[in-house]
Amino acid sequence: MKLATLNDGTRDGKLVVVSKDLTRFTDVSHIAPTMRDALDNWADVKKHLQNADQGLMVGSVPSERFHEHEVMAPLPRAAQWADGSAYVNHVELVRKARGAEMPQSFWEDPLMYMGAADAMLGARDAIPAGDEDWGIDLEAEVGVVVDDVPLGISPQDAADKILLVTILNDISFRSLIPGELAKGFGFLQSKGPTAFSPVAVTPDELGDAWHDGKLHLPILVQLDGELFGKADAGVDMTFDFPTLIAHAAKTRKLSAGTIIGSGTVSNKLDGGPGKPVGEGGVGYSCLAEIRTIETINSGKPETPFLGFGDMVRIEMNDTDGRSIFGAIEQVVVKV
Amino acid sequence: MKLATLNDGTRDGKLVVVSKDLTRFTDVSHIAPTMRDALDNWADVKKHLQNADQGLMVGSVPSERFHEHEVMAPLPRAAQWADGSAYVNHVELVRKARGAEMPQSFWEDPLMYMGAADAMLGARDAIPAGDEDWGIDLEAEVGVVVDDVPLGISPQDAADKILLVTILNDISFRSLIPGELAKGFGFLQSKGPTAFSPVAVTPDELGDAWHDGKLHLPILVQLDGELFGKADAGVDMTFDFPTLIAHAAKTRKLSAGTIIGSGTVSNKLDGGPGKPVGEGGVGYSCLAEIRTIETINSGKPETPFLGFGDMVRIEMNDTDGRSIFGAIEQVVVKV
């Protein structure tokens, strides 16, 4: 099942079920007016939503053309947003460029930060920034939306709490990060609002690509129309989603509608840093990583961060080349 | 105007207007079913809520007995929760005990962390913890609930965005903090769910005690029935609330229903560390602070953190000794 939130002028939008091929939708606001309502009552509404999905497939319910530019984030206001750094390769690389050692414990204990969940961006919303000097960067990630999760859940039990899967762009302001992290309390000003794909999907929709608590497909990143990255989200993911959920819930419960992110997808090929797509590599899911590799190789970064007017596109295709989530496509604009 | 959220079995509860003396309430769910709805549409509903408040005062609307133990948090699921450390004295003291220097910039640039906003506790809800070894601590604070705040707002303009004022208990797990902060991404497992007073009030309700973006009254803390702290929230608050709001909104907008916290209230009397209430001092708003002072004075902390069954009470009275917000009264329980 694929779900989206249409922009109807309200803060939480209107819930719709979208066809597998992302061309049609059927209004399900009589079942649950918003995604939030659906997640609040998932056990009760799931079956009704599935019936609507079946109806959409066989043409027995009213449907309309689905346009990706008409959506909000699937959850415009999420219960909570906690983002992991499951691709430890990425963390190690970024630290290396800064000249900072990565503690060995990072391979066993997930790194995770709390973000703002109150103003999630839709797939075509602009990336708002006040200044190019902030070091505007994308971060292409996978995320899961969970049901209510009790305090102290095990990773085994956490696997069953994953209701929806999505891809996302965790916008970072790199130039603000060192000063803010040095203060010791984590990210606040150095993270912009997070953007999500047009649809979120139930795990069964991913077929064989979803196993072991990971999504085993490349995440495709384009910058200004050029392919920049195609790292496989199932490769080098040190902590799977159930482990990340259990980490977030170790000392407090999570409410339904909490989103847990994977962190920037990053593959460590052949034991060394990744190569650009043009040189036969899988490329990158953020600019910080290529700048890091440039710094390691030649002493300084060459690729600039995003500027006003630059366009980021993030997508994921199934093994037949069909878009699963629709595309995140954002232009950076000055606010 | 005083507002509360009654527990009606739903996730967001039911909005009511409460009398000044906290003895009666009138149902306003026909105006806005929940606090969240009211804040989403504050400009439209404020006048209607004020009319209900007037009606409650003169007895022209139906009312019922208000019981503090029947409430949820005013905003059980807030849009966002960002907590400052505006009482820099507290930050300096806690660091001193750890043997860590505090950067001079902390006096000019607010320290603030992102917390979880999805499961706020009501005033009588238990403090859930898995283990006493977590170092369970209270933090008595003042908080403000804001309207929509645009990216890049000035402190001057931010003052007008404060819709409600509340007091709160920012539960911390002190033993988990050093390890987590060392990882560099801020608090996640080391913060429990935050608890709020029975009512939140509009700033006008505070009269002369609300000026210069601060609440000028002592915050009263009892531990197991003994007065432990009465630090004045208006004293030694280095950053006022408008400054904290502007800090949180520097690189992204804040949605209506965002809560900004003051950090643990702490007074620096006569240029030295605070004295216990029993010795003529104002005492403390958290256990970490007295333990810090004990460490500075005698090399090690003597006061233990909270144990299962311990009771925390946080309240604030007006100059006539009447409770403004009702009391937070929580017992620590094992989960």
Side-chain angles (χ1 to χ4, degrees):
Chain A
M1 189 160 52
K2 299 190 175 191
L3 297 169
T5 294
L6 290 194
N7 190 348
D8 64 352
T10 66
R11 289 177 186 265
D12 293 312
K14 185 173 75 164
L15 184 66
V16 298
V17 170
V18 180
S19 62
K20 315 295 174 197
D21 63 1
L22 306 177
T23 62
R24 312 285 304 170
F25 75 85
T26 187
D27 187 341
V28 288
S29 57
H30 57 290
I31 299 170
T34 67
M35 181 74 92
R36 188 177 182 100
D37 289 310
L39 293 164
D40 281 357
N41 305 290
W42 190 254
D44 294 332
V45 304
K46 184 182 178 186
K47 191 162 178 48
H48 301 292
L49 294 176
Q50 283 170 331
N51 288 342
D53 186 39
Q54 286 293 323
L56 186 59
M57 276 193 271
V58 300
S60 65
V61 295
S63 74
E64 292 174 60
R65 186 80 174 85
F66 179 69
H67 296 290
E68 294 188 10
H69 65 265
E70 290 176 354
V71 299
M72 304 170 79
L75 259 178
R77 301 191 289 183
Q80 190 185 143
W81 162 231
D83 195 14
S85 284
Y87 301 87
V88 179
N89 175 46
H90 165 80
V91 180
E92 192 170 38
L93 266 181
V94 173
R95 296 217 167 200
K96 200 167 173 182
R98 272 200 244 146
E101 278 297 298
M102 192 185 76
Q104 190 57 27
S105 64
F106 279 28
W107 293 102
E108 290 122 42
D109 179 34
L111 197 59
M112 188 175 280
Y113 81 90
M114 293 296 306
D118 64 318
M120 300 310 206
L121 297 182
R124 294 296 187 279
D125 290 345
I127 298 173
D131 197 319
E132 288 183 339
D133 289 344
W134 290 356
I136 307 158
D137 200 358
L138 69 142
E139 292 191 14
E141 308 189 5
V142 178
V144 296
V145 183
V146 298
D147 204 346
D148 289 302
V149 174
L151 185 160
I153 197 169
S154 68
Q156 290 70 32
D157 291 343
D160 296 331
K161 301 298 182 183
I162 298 172
L163 302 183
L164 298 171
V165 182
T166 177
I167 57 175
L168 60 98
N169 182 13
D170 178 41
I171 296 153
S172 294
F173 301 128
R174 299 286 179 191
S175 308
L176 308 184
I177 289 179
E180 189 156 59
L181 292 196
K183 290 162 69 180
F185 276 19
F187 305 98
L188 193 136
Q189 295 179 341
S190 45
K191 288 284 178 182
T194 309
F196 290 80
S197 51
V199 306
V201 310
T202 48
D204 61 290
E205 202 67 50
L206 301 165
D208 292 343
W210 179 257
H211 60 85
D212 299 325
K214 302 176 187 178
L215 177 47
H216 298 262
L217 285 170
I219 192 159
L220 306 175
V221 178
Q222 282 182 27
L223 293 185
D224 295 329
E226 293 274 322
L227 187 64
F228 179 72
K230 54 175 186 176
D232 193 311
V235 173
D236 294 328
M237 190 184 186
T238 304
F239 306 107
D240 58 22
F241 279 109
T243 301
L244 294 176
I245 296 165
H247 181 85
K250 191 185 165 192
T251 61
R252 63 187 181 211
K253 68 176 184 176
L254 312 177
S255 298
T258 291
I259 306 175
I260 304 290
S262 68
T264 308
V265 177
S266 178
N267 293 168
K268 183 170 184 165
L269 292 176
D270 307 323
K275 277 190 281 192
V277 175
E279 297 173 20
V282 298
Y284 315 96
S285 304
C286 67
L287 289 160
E289 193 162 313
I290 188 170
R291 287 167 57 90
T292 294
I293 289 169
E294 289 165 352
T295 302
I296 293 167
N297 289 342
S298 67
K300 63 177 175 49
E302 284 152 34
T303 306
F305 287 120
L306 298 172
F308 297 131
D310 279 343
M311 210 257 286
V312 174
R313 187 179 163 100
I314 302 173
E315 200 163 19
M316 184 177 274
N317 296 333
D318 65 19
T319 48
D320 294 322
R322 292 171 302 209
S323 181
I324 298 172
F325 302 99
I328 297 170
E329 198 173 284
Q330 300 185 276
V331 175
V332 183
V333 298
K334 180 164 172 57
V335 177
Chain B
M1 188 159 54
K2 299 191 176 191
L3 296 169
T5 294
L6 289 194
N7 190 347
D8 64 353
T10 66
R11 289 178 185 263
D12 294 311
K14 185 173 75 165
L15 184 66
V16 298
V17 170
V18 181
S19 62
K20 316 295 175 197
D21 63 1
L22 306 176
T23 62
R24 313 284 303 171
F25 75 86
T26 187
D27 187 342
V28 288
S29 57
H30 56 291
I31 300 170
T34 67
M35 182 74 91
R36 186 177 184 99
D37 289 311
L39 293 164
D40 281 356
N41 306 290
W42 191 252
D44 294 332
V45 304
K46 185 183 179 186
K47 193 164 176 48
H48 300 292
L49 294 175
Q50 283 171 332
N51 289 343
D53 186 39
Q54 287 293 324
L56 186 59
M57 276 193 270
V58 300
S60 65
V61 295
S63 74
E64 293 175 59
R65 186 79 176 86
F66 178 68
H67 296 290
E68 295 188 10
H69 65 265
E70 290 176 355
V71 300
M72 304 168 80
L75 259 177
R77 301 190 289 181
Q80 189 184 146
W81 161 232
D83 195 14
S85 283
Y87 302 86
V88 180
N89 176 44
H90 165 80
V91 180
E92 192 170 38
L93 265 180
V94 172
R95 295 217 167 199
K96 200 166 171 181
R98 272 199 243 145
E101 277 298 297
M102 191 185 76
Q104 190 58 26
S105 65
F106 279 29
W107 293 101
E108 290 122 42
D109 179 35
L111 197 59
M112 188 175 281
Y113 81 90
M114 292 297 306
D118 64 317
M120 300 311 205
L121 296 182
R124 295 294 187 280
D125 289 344
I127 297 172
D131 197 321
E132 289 184 338
D133 289 343
W134 289 356
I136 307 158
D137 200 358
L138 68 142
E139 292 192 15
E141 307 189 8
V142 178
V144 296
V145 183
V146 299
D147 204 347
D148 289 301
V149 174
L151 184 160
I153 198 170
S154 68
Q156 289 71 32
D157 292 343
D160 296 331
K161 301 299 182 185
I162 298 172
L163 303 183
L164 298 170
V165 182
T166 177
I167 56 175
L168 60 96
N169 183 13
D170 178 40
I171 297 154
S172 294
F173 300 128
R174 299 287 180 190
S175 309
L176 308 184
I177 289 179
E180 189 156 59
L181 292 196
K183 290 162 69 180
F185 276 19
F187 305 98
L188 194 137
Q189 294 179 341
S190 45
K191 288 283 176 180
T194 309
F196 289 81
S197 50
V199 306
V201 310
T202 48
D204 61 289
E205 202 67 52
L206 301 165
D208 293 343
W210 179 257
H211 60 85
D212 300 326
K214 301 175 187 179
L215 178 47
H216 297 263
L217 284 170
I219 193 160
L220 306 174
V221 178
Q222 282 182 28
L223 292 185
D224 294 330
E226 293 275 320
L227 187 64
F228 179 71
K230 53 175 184 176
D232 192 312
V235 173
D236 295 328
M237 189 185 189
T238 304
F239 306 107
D240 57 23
F241 278 109
T243 301
L244 295 176
I245 295 164
H247 182 85
K250 191 185 166 195
T251 61
R252 62 188 182 209
K253 68 177 184 175
L254 312 177
S255 298
T258 291
I259 305 175
I260 303 289
S262 67
T264 308
V265 177
S266 177
N267 293 167
K268 182 169 184 165
L269 292 176
D270 307 323
K275 277 190 282 194
V277 176
E279 297 173 21
V282 298
Y284 316 95
S285 303
C286 68
L287 289 160
E289 192 161 315
I290 187 169
R291 287 167 57 91
T292 294
I293 289 169
E294 289 165 352
T295 301
I296 293 168
N297 288 342
S298 67
K300 63 177 175 53
E302 285 152 32
T303 306
F305 287 120
L306 297 172
F308 297 131
D310 279 342
M311 209 257 286
V312 174
R313 186 180 164 99
I314 302 172
E315 202 163 16
M316 184 177 274
N317 296 334
D318 65 19
T319 48
D320 294 323
R322 293 171 302 207
S323 181
I324 299 172
F325 302 98
I328 297 169
E329 199 173 284
Q330 299 184 275
V331 175
V332 184
V333 298
K334 181 164 172 54
V335 177

